[in-house]
Amino acid sequence: MDNPVLALLSTRRSVKPDLLGPPGPSADEIETILTIAARVPDHKKLAPWRFIVLEGDARARLGEVLAEACAAAEKEPPSDVRLETERKRLLRAPVVVAVVSRTVVHPAAPEWEQILSAGAACFNLCLAANALGYGTSWITEWIAYNAQVCAALGLADNERIAGFVYIGTATARPEERDRPALSDIVTRWHG
Ligand SMILES: Cc1cc2nc3c(=O)[nH]c(=O)nc-3n(C[C@H](O)[C@H](O)[C@H](O)COP(=O)(O)O)c2cc1C
């Protein structure tokens, strides 16, 4: 496809975190990626999102929090293998960005629209990183919904994790996956 934007959009795929190795984006590239992530439709210009960059040793430090949160949440004490998985969860990619949805009560911009904007920020973040040549994975997993993890990340009561975006260099090219047929999801309204 001649148009590079359409080529990117029509071929992009998520890359599983386990397949995201070094190098990750540089500091300058992270700034570019986050600037583009913040350039999304946003009713009433509330900036209903913010970004927490997890890189270097901070990923392992958050991993310790995940292991503790896992042990506190499970009915049975987790196995050593499970705890090690949690300690290493954020280490799967060189850079992970936690996208935080933050909503306020606003008469013209309902919460729903503010949350949608956070989703758009997640995906713009992915696309910007993809355009720079990096693979990405926008995932949540249990850690996005755990109060202990959210507290460690400093989330306020009006904040939720919209996603953890893992960014790195893809070590394998993902296969195509099925997409819905347009005939199943598109109709034309004729009144
Ligand atoms: C909000 C959100 C949360 C997601 N969380 C997960 C997750 O926890 N685990 C997972 O395997 N995929 C998750 N996904 C799906 C992946 O992001 C990805 O879209 C999918 O695995 C592959 O589709 P793609 O190649 O078209 O992007 C999530 C997607 C969204 C939009």
Side-chain angles (χ1 to χ4, degrees), residues 104-117:
V104 292
V105 176
H106 190 286
E111 183 188 48
W112 167 236
E113 298 185 4
Q114 298 175 43
I115 295 169
L116 289 173
S117 183

Side-chain angles (χ1 to χ4, degrees), residues 12-14 138-141 162 177 179:
R12 59 126 236 116
R13 274 235 52 196
S14 297
W138 169 11
I139 58 177
T140 43
E141 302 181 313
R177 72 167 172 89
R179 304 287 167 177

Side-chain angles (χ1 to χ4, degrees), residues 146-155:
N146 179 275
Q148 208 171 322
V149 175
C150 290
L153 286 169
L155 267 60

Side-chain angles (χ1 to χ4, degrees), residues 96-145:
V96 183
V97 179
V99 180
V100 178
S101 155
R102 51 176 185 183
T103 58
V104 292
V105 176
H106 190 286
E111 183 188 48
W112 167 236
E113 298 185 4
Q114 298 175 43
I115 295 169
L116 289 173
S117 183
C122 289
F123 198 50
N124 245 28
L125 196 163
C126 290
L127 291 175
N130 299 156
L132 285 169
Y134 297 102
T136 54
S137 203
W138 169 11
I139 58 177
T140 43
E141 302 181 313
W142 70 272
I143 64 175
Y145 302 102

